[in-house]
Amino acid sequence: MVFKLLRKHMKTILVTGGSGFIGSHTCLCLLKNKYKIIVVDSNVNSSKLSLKMIKKIFDQNKEVMEEIIFHQGDIRDEKFLKKVFLKSLNNGYQIDGVIHFAGLKSVEESIKYPLMYWDNNVSGTLTLIKVMELFNCETIVFSSSATVYGSSEISPLKESFEIKPLNPYGQTKATIEYILDGIFRSSKSNLKVANLRYFNPIGAHCSGLMGEEPLNKPNNLFPYICLVAAGKYKKLNIYGNDWPTFDGTGVRDYIHVMDLAEAHFSTLKFLLSNKAQLINLNIGTGIGTSVLDLINKFSVVNDIIIPFEIVDRRPGDVASLVANNQKAISILDWKPQRDLNNMCADGWNWQKRNPNGY
Ligand code: NAD
Ligand code: UDP
């Protein structure tokens, strides 16, 4: 009864790419905070089962299950997107805001197939913004990336630093930021925009029911470590130990995926209760961890040895990417709560319980 009363005041959020790794954890967080959510995903890089797991985590609570609606489809399909907005309106729920995760995310793939990345990421976003405008939806939280900074010599990185992406993936993210900025600056706009520049999300929900499921051989370090731990690969290749870092291996700012999910909730809350504006926020912990650090931490926390070999540097890699997260901490009612121990334990728990993914 109380829940029904609350529902009347709940905001409705469209989550594009909500079946994916970060999207599914964010959906969980939004539901916990009593938002109604509509997920749109083509499942080009995810399983529909991730959303089923959310329902399991909420113990099949019927009222919560009513608050999550899934539409399978591609955001480049304008007709489909219009239908999603219209259906929600006809059901009495105007979409108040969008969290836009849908996109392709492999740097390597983007170098091989740049057109596919421009089309999916940029055309998809343009279609989404057009439909949002048609339905007077003026709030968007966009999944940007630390890759937009390229290879900065200075760490930690501030939001005001130059945007200079080094690969097509990063260029699509920077272009979307640029487009949003242009629309925001137009005189007619009441747009509320947050470009969240994520650093390196790893780990999984502590239940072990949800996590990252790379459909192909993973490119990223953490899922690869998990697969070596699981015995699927014999060893990890470390891409260079001659980087200008404290131990010669690449340094990154790893953030627990649930901390990242919570940052989205806080960002939405902030945008929805403030005037039209555009903000760029780094979402990281501000702590730099090297490849060797991460391997050691994973081994100690989970009591598993990770065999590795030093190989050549990976093309397109940079030495160090660490966030200055002070702006996000001061603006949002948010700060990272989980440390590297939690990231390693939760990530391995998910891998161990789900050796074949969802
Ligand atoms: P993910 O691949 O798990 O999730 C993206 C989701 O979008 C997938 O479910 C995919 O099926 C869907 N999708 C892709 N193109 C679509 C389209 N045209 N229409 C509808 N759905 C589509 O990736 P993730 O790690 O959850 O990343 C989410 C977002 O955050 C991406 O935009 C990614 O670029 C960005 N990001 C990720 C990282 C990271 O390290 N994981 C870092 C920085 C930024
Ligand atoms: N890395 C590595 N072996 C791997 C994957 C990654 O040594 O199999 C290194 C990579 O060179 C970088 C760090 O781990 O220094 C993080 O790489 P990841 O791809 O996870 O993140 P990104 O480079 O996109 O920030």
Side-chain angles (χ1 to χ4, degrees), residues 1 79 82 100 110 134 143-144 166 182 195 199 210 262 272 280 293 295-296 317 319 332-333 335:
M1 187 62 191
K79 240 177 159 175
K82 280 183 185 160
H100 178 31
S110 80
L134 207 62
S143 296
S144 190
L166 296 174
N195 294 314
F199 282 68
M210 288 167 63
E262 285 162 10
L272 290 170
N280 299 315
D293 278 343
I295 294 172
N296 286 337
D317 250 352
L332 307 176
D333 178 20
K335 71 171 189 221

Side-chain angles (χ1 to χ4, degrees), residues 17 19-23 40-46 73-76 101-105 120 143-145 169 173 198-199 201:
S19 302
F21 173 44
I22 309 168
V40 161
D41 201 305
S42 62
N43 296 116
V44 63
N45 195 39
S46 57
D74 196 300
I75 57 162
R76 287 167 295 178
F101 293 105
L104 300 175
K105 63 165 182 177
N120 192 79
S143 296
S144 190
S145 165
Y169 166 68
K173 293 290 176 189
Y198 311 156
F199 282 68

Side-chain angles (χ1 to χ4, degrees), residues 200 219-221 236-239 250 252 254 291 314 317:
N200 293 55
N219 298 311
N220 297 113
L221 179 61
L236 174 82
N237 286 327
I238 297 184
Y239 299 134
R252 295 293 184 273
Y254 297 96
V291 177
R314 181 173 64 174
D317 250 352

Side-chain angles (χ1 to χ4, degrees), residues 148-219:
V148 297
Y149 294 114
S151 66
S152 177
E153 298 298 307
I154 313 159
S155 236
L157 296 150
K158 280 191 177 169
E159 288 85 350
S160 55
F161 282 16
E162 192 183 7
I163 300 303
K164 226 176 158 186
L166 296 174
N167 50 63
Y169 166 68
Q171 286 160 357
T172 66
K173 293 290 176 189
T175 301
I176 294 167
E177 287 198 8
Y178 195 62
I179 291 170
L180 288 169
D181 187 66
I183 299 171
F184 168 73
R185 283 172 196 277
S186 76
S187 55
K188 277 196 296 181
S189 164
N190 279 316
L191 215 54
K192 300 175 176 188
V193 185
N195 294 314
L196 299 187
R197 295 177 182 158
Y198 311 156
F199 282 68
N200 293 55
I202 60 170
H205 186 256
C206 59
S207 63
L209 291 172
M210 288 167 63
E212 185 170 13
E213 184 187 37
L215 291 187
N216 302 308
K217 195 173 179 182
N219 298 311

Side-chain angles (χ1 to χ4, degrees), residues 18-254:
S19 302
F21 173 44
I22 309 168
S24 56
H25 287 80
T26 303
C27 287
L28 184 73
C29 186
L30 295 181
L31 285 171
K32 210 172 119 197
N33 286 287
K34 307 222 162 29
Y35 279 85
K36 183 176 187 70
I37 55 182
I38 298 166
V39 173
V40 161
D41 201 305
S42 62
N43 296 116
V44 63
N45 195 39
S46 57
S47 161
K48 284 189 210 165
L49 291 176
S50 61
L51 298 182
K52 294 226 162 88
M53 287 305 154
I54 293 185
K55 296 178 177 178
K56 208 166 170 184
I57 289 169
F58 280 107
D59 206 15
Q60 307 295 346
N61 180 319
K62 235 181 122 199
E63 281 157 342
V64 174
M65 281 154 73
E66 278 172 15
E67 305 308 343
I68 175 165
I69 295 162
F70 175 70
H71 298 283
Q72 187 171 33
D74 196 300
I75 57 162
R76 287 167 295 178
D77 181 347
E78 192 170 332
K79 240 177 159 175
F80 158 73
L81 264 192
K82 280 183 185 160
K83 266 194 208 153
V84 170
F85 274 80
L86 197 60
K87 201 165 176 192
S88 184
L89 202 58
N90 289 340
N91 287 337
Y93 299 103
Q94 169 148 20
I95 294 176
D96 299 292
V98 175
I99 306 186
H100 178 31
F101 293 105
L104 300 175
K105 63 165 182 177
S106 157
V107 169
E108 214 178 324
E109 194 181 50
S110 80
I111 294 168
K112 260 196 203 150
Y113 308 107
L115 185 56
M116 184 166 99
Y117 271 66
W118 286 104
D119 182 39
N120 192 79
N121 294 3
V122 179
S123 302
T125 305
L126 281 174
T127 307
L128 172 68
I129 307 170
K130 269 196 275 178
V131 178
M132 282 175 67
E133 192 178 274
L134 207 62
F135 286 86
N136 296 318
C137 177
E138 295 179 319
T139 299
I140 181 164
V141 179
F142 169 58
S143 296
S144 190
S145 165
T147 28
V148 297
Y149 294 114
S151 66
S152 177
E153 298 298 307
I154 313 159
S155 236
L157 296 150
K158 280 191 177 169
E159 288 85 350
S160 55
F161 282 16
E162 192 183 7
I163 300 303
K164 226 176 158 186
L166 296 174
N167 50 63
Y169 166 68
Q171 286 160 357
T172 66
K173 293 290 176 189
T175 301
I176 294 167
E177 287 198 8
Y178 195 62
I179 291 170
L180 288 169
D181 187 66
I183 299 171
F184 168 73
R185 283 172 196 277
S186 76
S187 55
K188 277 196 296 181
S189 164
N190 279 316
L191 215 54
K192 300 175 176 188
V193 185
N195 294 314
L196 299 187
R197 295 177 182 158
Y198 311 156
F199 282 68
N200 293 55
I202 60 170
H205 186 256
C206 59
S207 63
L209 291 172
M210 288 167 63
E212 185 170 13
E213 184 187 37
L215 291 187
N216 302 308
K217 195 173 179 182
N219 298 311
N220 297 113
L221 179 61
F222 190 79
Y224 210 100
I225 291 179
C226 287
L227 292 178
V228 173
K232 289 211 172 159
Y233 298 114
K234 279 207 174 90
K235 60 172 175 57
L236 174 82
N237 286 327
I238 297 184
Y239 299 134
N241 64 351
D242 55 353
W243 292 98
T245 61
F246 53 85
D247 65 14
T249 65
V251 168
R252 295 293 184 273
D253 180 336
Y254 297 96

